[in-house]
Amino acid sequence: MFGFFFALLLIVGILLMVVVLLQAGKGGGLAAMGGANATTDSVLGGRQAATLLTRLSWWFGGTFLALALLLSIMSSRGTDTPTSVLQDEFQAGQAAPTPVLPGAGAADGDAAAPIQGAAPAERGDEGDASGGN
């Protein structure tokens, strides 16, 4: 059902583009609003007769919005809990990558000196956080 509505949305979207592009320009648009050429006729002028293309653009636009809302509702009800792409990848049996420590991979002896202010857990039993003396 979702595929049918999605195909219908694509068809209506293409038809909406065609209908809008076939319409003739109505005037200057926003460029006619400012400057010395601005008159009350352009702002408060009477409505022009609705052509077939104008009516089709309104119908296709409304149908497009309704189908987009329907597909949005249908897609949100499909899953119970949101999942992450990364979470699925790690659950498939792949282990998390091991972090690379500075100086761990140097074979020529130019490795940087170990960090002097390392965390107590990395130094050994000296700074045991358990507090047992």
Side-chain angles (χ1 to χ4, degrees):
M1 194 64 151
F2 185 83
F4 171 73
F5 285 129
F6 187 70
L8 192 61
L9 180 76
L10 290 176
I11 292 170
V12 169
I14 291 171
L15 289 174
L16 179 63
M17 282 192 308
V18 169
V19 168
V20 167
L21 289 175
L22 284 176
Q23 291 183 23
K26 304 287 188 220
L30 290 177
M33 293 297 287
N37 294 336
T39 61
T40 57
D41 290 338
S42 65
V43 176
L44 303 172
R47 285 190 51 176
Q48 297 177 353
T51 63
L52 177 66
L53 291 175
T54 306
R55 289 183 184 173
L56 282 177
S57 65
W58 278 102
W59 277 103
F60 285 148
T63 306
F64 185 85
L65 290 175
L67 283 172
L69 179 66
L70 178 69
L71 286 172
S72 166
I73 292 170
M74 286 177 67
S75 68
S76 68
R77 293 186 181 188
T79 60
D80 293 336
T81 58
T83 59
S84 170
V85 176
L86 296 176
Q87 183 181 12
D88 294 340
E89 199 172 300
F90 288 126
Q91 287 178 351
Q94 296 179 355
T98 57
V100 178
L101 300 175
D108 58 338
D110 290 343
I115 300 173
Q116 297 297 326
E122 293 178 8
R123 287 188 291 186
D125 293 333
E126 298 176 76
D128 191 13
S130 62
N133 284 358

